Amino acid sequence: MQKLRARKGISSVITGAMLLSATVMMGTGLVSWSNTNLTSYQTSLTNSYSTNVNKLNENLVIENVWFVNNPQSLRVTLTNLGNEGLNVTDIKLQTSSSTQDTPQKAIIMPKQHTDIPIGDAINPYIWQSKVPITITVTTVRGSIFTTQVMPP
């Protein structure tokens, strides 16, 4: 009878190499995945920070409101006192009895002003004497500026 000798085979070497390879592959995948996630979160955080800081830097003043009689309309002067340019997307006029939303578009550069007409001969804005009007201006970043005026 032949005696089988127990010898250390290469199975332990192969097993060790397989475990090492699996660990390296999983580690590389995990590092790659976390780097992708970190990059996307960093981009999202940068965009959010930029939007909110720029929103804080918006400083719009509703300076003058002219009441025009013929045709009945308004002219509003908006001045950008901030250091960032801003885009006006909407001007809302509200009295105790009505609300008119006028989707106005205006780009106002820093330290500049613009006059915006509201109403014309075709579509007049009918204002009433001694009835206060609340003017609300909204920018593209969501800032809201409000004033109240009294027609003569």
Side-chain angles (χ1 to χ4, degrees), residues 4-5 17 21 27-28 43 62 86 96 103 117 121 132-133:
L4 292 175
R5 288 189 299 174
S21 297
T28 303
T43 302
I62 303 169
L86 55 83
S96 59
I133 301 170

Side-chain angles (χ1 to χ4, degrees), residues 6-83:
R7 59 179 192 173
K8 295 196 178 215
I10 58 172
S11 63
S12 60
V13 173
I14 292 174
T15 304
M18 288 173 51
L19 285 174
L20 184 62
S21 297
T23 304
V24 167
M25 288 190 315
M26 287 191 312
T28 303
L30 184 62
V31 167
S32 175
W33 173 77
S34 66
N35 189 28
T36 302
N37 273 355
L38 180 63
T39 303
S40 67
Y41 286 130
Q42 181 182 10
T43 302
S44 174
L45 184 62
T46 301
N47 290 340
S48 177
Y49 174 79
S50 174
T51 299
N52 289 327
V53 165
N54 288 340
K55 188 175 178 180
L56 289 173
N57 289 332
E58 286 186 343
N59 189 5
L60 183 72
V61 176
I62 303 169
E63 280 193 312
N64 297 317
V65 178
W66 293 284
F67 295 94
V68 181
N69 284 320
N70 193 13
Q72 211 168 20
S73 61
L74 290 175
R75 288 191 71 79
V76 179
T77 300
L78 303 175
T79 302
N80 180 4
L81 297 178
N83 296 324

Side-chain angles (χ1 to χ4, degrees), residues 89-116:
T89 58
D90 186 53
I91 298 177
K92 183 166 60 172
L93 306 169
Q94 187 173 9
T95 65
S96 59
S97 61
S98 69
T99 299
Q100 181 173 345
D101 201 11
T102 61
Q104 296 287 337
K105 304 281 187 216
I107 298 173
I108 309 171
M109 298 312 288
K111 312 296 184 206
Q112 299 292 319
H113 69 276
T114 188
D115 292 332
I116 298 179

Side-chain angles (χ1 to χ4, degrees), residues 60-62 92 94 133-138 143-149:
L60 183 72
V61 176
I62 303 169
K92 183 166 60 172
Q94 187 173 9
I133 301 170
T134 302
I135 300 173
T136 305
V137 178
T138 306
S143 297
I144 298 172
F145 302 93
T146 303
T147 191
Q148 194 168 41
V149 294

